[in-house]
Amino acid sequence: MDIQDIKDMLNTDKYEFLRTDPCLRENILILTTAGSIAYGTNVDTSDIDIRGVTIEVKQDLLGLSSFEQFEDRTTDTVVYGLKKFISLCLDSNPNVLEILGTRDDHLLVITKEGQLLRDNADLFFSKKAIHSFGNYATAQLRRLKNALARDSYPQAEKEQHILDSILGQMEHLKRTYKSFTNEEINLYIDQSDKQEMDTEIFIDINLKHYPLRDLKNIYSDMSNVVKNYSKLNHRNNKKDELHLNKHAMHLIRLLITGTEILEGKGINTYREKEREFLLDIRKGKYSYNELFEMVDEYERRFRLAAENTSLPDNPDYKRVEELMLEIYSNVWGFGQ
């Protein structure tokens, strides 16, 4: 399906919400492709994902109501309110930054204010991309390794994979909730008393005056890793092989995109140069040993870019706020 087909599809009843929902309609600033179509890695069976940005109506900005995003799961469409969109961009969220880097011919709706956002994408780039793109990528790697380990690895090695997955989330947990040190929450592997296990993961917690809800959420996130790993024992091998190849493809794509941001090259969502290479990964051309070797190389480039990046520690919040006010002023006349 080409872009014109997608544009025609948006005019069907299936996407009527774009024209009738009061938070969307004429308020949409950007509407663009997402997922594999936006990356250039789509195949005939690929879903059509749509992402966008809309400006909040006056009631949501000044009244009692609020608006963060609109989501239609049937069509896999997500449109963010401007304030939430900018907040996610400031955190270098890869899925949201990609909206600013899609190809011009993939834009389904673009207004003057939407173009202003895309033209100022560099305002959002900072060293936060080291953790956001790096963590997203390594999360894909952990899922891939864990899946491969489900049958052939000894129990002790499987337990180590689970621990590695949880430890890989630690920086994210420290940023999301009240920060803690590795001494305050310490995870490690030791001998198990359980008959069916040689070793297992243990945790030492030494926290004082720590928010209970934050601790509950941290535990929940860790627990989900364990639950997701256990689900791997009930997988459809042929179907999962395709999923694992997709994980590997997205892992390398994220590392490439993140490396370019850290090198000061901006956000380039469509991977034209690497398109055939990424599609070969998706099709299973490479063995997993070959993939892990390639991942090691792309991670090395990412880390090198991170060590030498000239990006600031944080975005220029003042300039971003000025951009927001300019957009709100242009659309709603605030400050005039």
Side-chain angles (χ1 to χ4, degrees):
M1 179 175 287
D2 61 25
I3 299 302
Q4 187 56 53
D5 291 332
I6 296 176
K7 290 181 178 180
D8 293 340
M9 186 180 63
L10 295 187
N11 291 320
T12 64
D13 292 343
K14 190 177 181 181
Y15 289 85
E16 184 67 17
F17 58 83
L18 293 172
R19 294 174 289 280
T20 59
D21 190 281
C23 294
L24 305 179
R25 298 191 304 205
E26 68 277 3
N27 297 322
I28 296 175
L29 306 181
I30 302 173
L31 201 66
T32 188
T33 60
S36 59
I37 293 176
Y39 308 141
T41 57
N42 55 301
V43 294
D44 291 341
T45 57
S46 293
D47 295 330
I48 297 171
D49 305 333
I50 304 295
R51 297 293 180 269
V53 186
T54 187
I55 193 163
E56 303 88 342
V57 299
K58 289 184 179 180
Q59 294 93 321
D60 291 332
L61 289 172
L62 304 176
L64 296 177
S65 60
S66 62
F67 173 81
E68 288 196 344
Q69 68 185 55
F70 173 94
E71 183 172 359
D72 181 76
R73 295 188 178 183
T74 302
T75 61
D76 201 356
T77 299
V78 180
V79 183
Y80 299 95
L82 178 60
K83 186 169 286 189
K84 179 171 183 179
F85 174 77
I86 285 180
S87 175
L88 292 171
C89 284
L90 288 170
D91 284 336
S92 286
N93 182 295
N95 292 330
V96 176
L97 280 179
E98 287 168 356
I99 295 173
L100 299 177
T102 55
R103 285 169 45 147
D104 288 345
D105 61 343
H106 283 206
L107 292 170
L108 308 169
V109 174
I110 185 70
T111 66
K112 180 179 68 175
E113 289 73 29
Q115 190 60 50
L116 196 59
L117 282 170
R118 286 171 61 93
D119 290 344
N120 286 277
D122 62 303
L123 293 181
F124 302 107
F125 301 143
S126 71
K127 289 180 181 176
K128 288 186 177 184
I130 297 172
H131 297 295
S132 61
F133 279 83
N135 283 349
Y136 271 60
T138 53
Q140 296 280 2
L141 177 61
R142 289 194 301 273
R143 292 178 71 179
L144 181 57
K145 284 185 174 179
N146 287 347
L148 290 173
R150 79 192 190 283
D151 295 324
S152 59
Y153 287 12
Q155 182 272 324
E157 289 192 38
K158 294 179 181 180
E159 197 74 358
Q160 184 64 53
H161 277 291
I162 298 174
L163 177 61
D164 289 343
S165 294
I166 297 174
L167 293 178
Q169 284 192 326
M170 281 306 199
E171 289 304 316
H172 166 73
L173 296 176
K174 290 175 184 178
R175 294 196 312 274
T176 305
Y177 309 112
K178 183 178 179 181
S179 188
F180 53 88
T181 66
N182 293 337
E183 288 72 31
E184 289 173 322
I185 298 181
N186 180 35
L187 289 143
Y188 57 93
I189 288 179
D190 207 342
Q191 296 298 311
S192 175
D193 293 331
K194 296 182 176 66
Q195 186 174 2
E196 70 276 11
M197 303 177 74
D198 297 322
T199 62
E200 65 176 308
I201 300 169
F202 291 86
I203 184 169
D204 294 338
I205 300 178
N206 183 27
L207 294 168
K208 293 182 180 180
H209 199 67
Y210 195 85
L212 175 62
R213 290 174 179 81
D214 282 14
L215 182 60
K216 179 186 75 71
N217 290 329
I218 289 171
Y219 174 79
S220 177
D221 287 350
M222 292 180 179
S223 179
N224 284 335
V225 173
V226 179
K227 289 179 181 178
N228 290 336
Y229 187 90
S230 65
K231 290 178 183 178
L232 295 170
N233 293 321
H234 307 284
R235 306 182 318 138
N236 177 296
N237 287 340
K238 183 61 179 177
K239 182 178 180 181
D240 282 338
E241 184 179 337
L242 298 176
H243 286 169
L244 293 176
N245 289 333
K246 284 185 67 175
H247 286 322
M249 176 186 70
H250 286 305
L251 162 60
I252 291 177
R253 177 188 59 78
L254 279 166
L255 289 171
I256 292 172
T257 304
T259 298
E260 289 186 350
I261 290 175
L262 294 171
E263 291 175 341
K265 298 176 181 177
I267 177 74
N268 180 19
T269 305
Y270 190 86
R271 304 311 317 176
E272 184 167 8
K273 180 180 176 182
E274 301 87 9
R275 182 173 181 272
E276 292 303 321
F277 165 58
L278 294 172
L279 285 172
D280 283 342
I281 295 175
R282 179 170 186 164
K283 295 171 185 174
K285 179 178 178 179
Y286 302 100
S287 69
Y288 289 120
N289 285 336
E290 290 175 317
L291 285 176
F292 287 134
E293 288 178 3
M294 289 189 287
V295 167
D296 287 342
E297 173 60 20
Y298 282 105
E299 281 193 316
R300 184 192 67 78
R301 297 179 189 179
F302 181 86
R303 297 303 167 195
L304 183 64
E307 291 169 5
N308 295 282
T309 186
S310 59
L311 293 179
D313 291 337
N314 294 291
D316 189 331
Y317 294 104
K318 186 175 186 301
R319 289 183 62 195
V320 171
E321 186 175 53
E322 290 172 352
L323 175 64
M324 287 180 65
L325 292 174
E326 180 180 354
I327 292 173
Y328 282 126
S329 178
N330 287 349
V331 176
W332 295 126
F334 297 158
Q336 293 183 351

